[in-house]
């Protein structure tokens, strides 16, 4: 069974930065489309950012463009979400999700990491 693990969440103040990390128990993690989602209390889970295979194309939800950056490390074992200029409305549980090769659905999910931004 594939395990997806997020880390890096925490409590910060508005304007601060955080970097989330995602690892998966996949031999070829770099070959899998990977995304970050978030869910705030009382709201539906939403897509935040995604990255294609290898150093592939990236995409972002409008509200985080220019502030968040998704990337892979050079060994392709970790996907990062660099979050700058954090706002209280970024407060949520952040989840990493991975697609199987050739899939268009988000097949593997982590347990999530809490990000709290105080004003």
């Amino acid at each position: 069974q594939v395990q997806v693990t997020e880390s890096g969440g925490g409590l910060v103040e508005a304007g601060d930065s955080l970097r989330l990390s995602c690892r998966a128990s996949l031999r070829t993690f770099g070959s899998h489309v990977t995304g970050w989602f978030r869910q705030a209390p009382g709201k539906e889970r939403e897509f935040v950012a995604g990255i294609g295979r290898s150093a592939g194309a990236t995409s972002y939800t409008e509200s985080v463009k220019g502030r968040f950056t998704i990337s892979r490390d050079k060994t392709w074992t970790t996907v990062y979400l660099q979050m700058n200029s954090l706002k209280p409305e970024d407060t949520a549980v952040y989840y990493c999700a991975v697609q199987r090769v050739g899939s268009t659905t988000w097949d593997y999910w982590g347990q999530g990491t809490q990000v709290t931004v105080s004003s």
Side-chain angles (χ1 to χ4, degrees), residues 55-67:
T58 58
S59 62
Y60 301 90
T61 192
E62 193 64 33
S63 63
V64 308
K65 284 181 180 178
R67 300 189 298 124

Side-chain angles (χ1 to χ4, degrees), residues 18-34:
L18 275 177
R19 188 177 75 167
L20 305 184
S21 299
C22 172
R23 293 192 174 186
S25 60
L26 291 162
R27 270 195 314 117
T28 57
F29 187 29
S31 298
H32 295 256
V33 176
T34 303

